[in-house]
Amino acid sequence: MLHSSSQKLPVAVLLAASIIWGLSWLPLKFIHQQGIDGVPLVLVSHSLMALLVLIAKPSWSQLYAYRGWLLGIGIAGGVAITSFTYALMHGDVIRVMVLFYLVPVWGVLGGWIFLREHTGALRWLGVLLALGELI
């Protein structure tokens, strides 16, 4: 049981973020009904966020040192959020959200396949339980 206020804040933030992500399809469907496509919307909004990060004057030497990784992460993240937005606007919300909520499964599988991480029995049990939820 959680007792201290320092332990309650992360739980509250996680709960709020889950609610926001869970309801993110509502404004996207409304925007699509108004005739605005999701891909340009994602491009503009994420470009503005990137500009704000660059204005915040990050440590350029660290950014340069990891430029390859950052470029790869940026491309992968861009493709993921664009695909998610497009799927929500044009697809079936339930199917898209099921795929989204299975992100931890993809994380475990990706870590095991690509990073050769040791995956214990408890994590495999979590993957099986998450996949069993689809049945």
Side-chain angles (χ1 to χ4, degrees):
M1 186 184 315
L2 299 175
H3 292 289
S4 74
S5 63
S6 66
Q7 291 176 329
K8 291 180 182 178
L9 180 62
V11 172
V13 169
L14 183 61
L15 179 63
S18 297
I19 290 169
I20 291 169
W21 270 105
L23 297 175
S24 65
W25 64 275
L26 288 169
L28 290 174
K29 286 285 188 180
F30 176 76
I31 289 169
H32 180 65
Q33 289 172 350
Q34 302 306 312
I36 300 172
D37 192 34
V39 175
L41 182 66
V42 168
L43 179 65
V44 169
S45 64
H46 284 72
S47 295
L48 289 173
M49 286 188 286
L51 185 61
L52 289 174
V53 168
L54 292 176
I55 291 172
K57 305 221 191 285
S59 173
W60 293 103
S61 61
Q62 285 183 342
L63 288 179
Y64 186 77
Y66 295 104
R67 67 188 177 277
W69 283 104
L70 291 173
L71 181 64
I73 290 169
I75 290 170
V79 168
I81 193 66
T82 302
S83 300
F84 178 71
T85 302
Y86 186 84
L88 278 176
M89 290 181 135
H90 297 283
D92 183 21
V93 172
I94 298 299
R95 287 184 182 152
V96 174
M97 291 312 238
V98 165
L99 286 173
F100 170 74
Y101 283 113
L102 288 176
V103 165
V105 172
W106 313 133
V108 169
L109 292 175
W112 179 62
I113 293 169
F114 298 112
L115 302 177
R116 309 222 190 288
E117 288 181 348
H118 171 70
T119 307
L122 192 57
R123 287 192 181 173
W124 285 121
L125 177 63
V127 167
L128 289 175
L129 288 173
L131 293 174
E133 181 180 332
L134 296 176
I135 298 174

